Amino acid sequence: MHGQRATLADNCPRTVATTALALSGLCCLVSPLVLRSQSGGFFLSFLFGWGMVVAADSPMFSSLVAQSAPDASRGTALTIVNCIGFAITVVSIQFTSWLSGFVQVQDLYLLLAVGPALGLLAQLGSRPKLAPAPTGPKS
């Protein structure tokens, strides 16, 4: 980042990651409607869109970590973040598989909305302050 203040350009990965999290959470919430839909084309389009937003946040979070971590520990920070991401994925898959014995498959993905919701809370709570717009001389 430029000095101590974030600029709009520095916020691009944060904005993309936050948007992707919000859209992923929205997909979780509307999944019961889509899974009950009789339209195969709509279902496939939904899955394609959901896949895009789910895949979009990971590289953006890596970019945020790379921007924020000190040079000496940047590689370690990226490794830790990726390990945490994979661990969350493994636990989510295992939990969802276990839960499928108790919940209708159409409603199963509603619970996955908790992850994006927690991520959004963390992201929105850690927003950097934008640099003030430059002001010219007053006439």
Side-chain angles (χ1 to χ4, degrees), residues 1 13-14 58-71 73-82 123:
M1 286 201 224
R14 180 180 297 275
S58 183
M60 293 300 108
F61 284 119
S62 293
S63 177
L64 290 171
V65 170
Q67 288 176 359
S68 302
D71 291 342
S73 60
R74 186 167 291 140
T76 302
L78 286 167
T79 300
I80 291 170
V81 166
N82 281 313
Q123 273 299 102

Side-chain angles (χ1 to χ4, degrees), residues 24-83:
S24 180
L26 180 64
C27 287
C28 291
L29 294 175
V30 301
S31 67
L33 300 173
V34 175
L35 291 171
R36 287 180 172 90
S37 168
Q38 300 298 316
S39 170
F42 177 65
F43 177 70
L44 289 175
S45 298
F46 174 78
L47 290 181
F48 180 75
W50 194 357
M52 287 189 341
V53 298
V54 166
D57 65 4
S58 183
M60 293 300 108
F61 284 119
S62 293
S63 177
L64 290 171
V65 170
Q67 288 176 359
S68 302
D71 291 342
S73 60
R74 186 167 291 140
T76 302
L78 286 167
T79 300
I80 291 170
V81 166
N82 281 313
C83 288

